Amino acid sequence: ADALLAVHRSYYPLVWPLLEKDLLHGMAHVTGGGLYDNLPRVLPAGTGVRIDPGIVPRPPIFDFLVEGGEVSLEEAYRVFNMGFGLVLFVGADQAALVQDELAGAGEKSWDCGEVVEGNGEVELA
């Protein structure tokens, strides 16, 4: 119950310094609609995204909801954030720098995917 009632997290203190340094190409706050609805909103035309969901640790609350609610993992990634609170789109040449900046702020981050040619699709690898 406590996990479901937790206060919404603000990413502003983490993201603002990255924006000031012009290190981000885009970002998606993954809320209702999960990865499938939130990521395409920030993708340029002619692109899609390939994500490896196994790289990002999944909080236990989502396993509880999947198992207790008999929800498929595909549907869970369509409805919940599954541990992807905020997805940052960063140039490959700046990914290590962004991760260092986030680590310096006490935040863990994962390189979990790539932008590919497509029509706004989200592919979970």
Side-chain angles (χ1 to χ4, degrees):
D2 290 339
L4 294 173
L5 297 173
V7 174
H8 173 73
R9 179 167 185 206
S10 171
Y11 294 100
Y12 175 79
L14 296 168
V15 171
W16 184 250
L18 301 174
L19 290 169
E20 284 187 315
K21 294 176 182 176
D22 199 28
L23 294 173
L24 303 180
H25 294 286
M27 61 183 140
H29 187 200
V30 183
T31 58
L35 295 172
Y36 291 107
D37 287 347
N38 289 282
L39 298 187
R41 293 179 184 151
V42 301
L43 293 173
T47 65
V49 67
R50 185 176 300 124
I51 301 284
D52 182 350
I55 291 176
V56 176
R58 189 168 57 227
I61 185 67
F62 295 115
D63 290 329
F64 173 79
L65 293 172
V66 165
E67 293 166 16
E70 298 180 10
V71 177
S72 71
L73 277 178
E74 180 180 352
E75 182 65 11
Y77 280 100
R78 185 173 306 286
V79 176
F80 307 122
N81 78 28
M82 300 297 281
F84 290 83
L86 185 70
V87 175
L88 303 177
F89 291 85
V90 178
D93 60 332
Q94 295 176 320
L97 175 60
V98 169
Q99 287 189 294
D100 288 346
E101 293 274 334
L102 291 169
E107 187 66 25
K108 292 181 181 177
S109 63
W110 298 268
D111 184 349
C112 60
E114 62 183 335
V115 175
V116 296
E117 288 186 33
N119 294 310
E121 305 92 5
V122 174
E123 176 188 340
L124 298 185

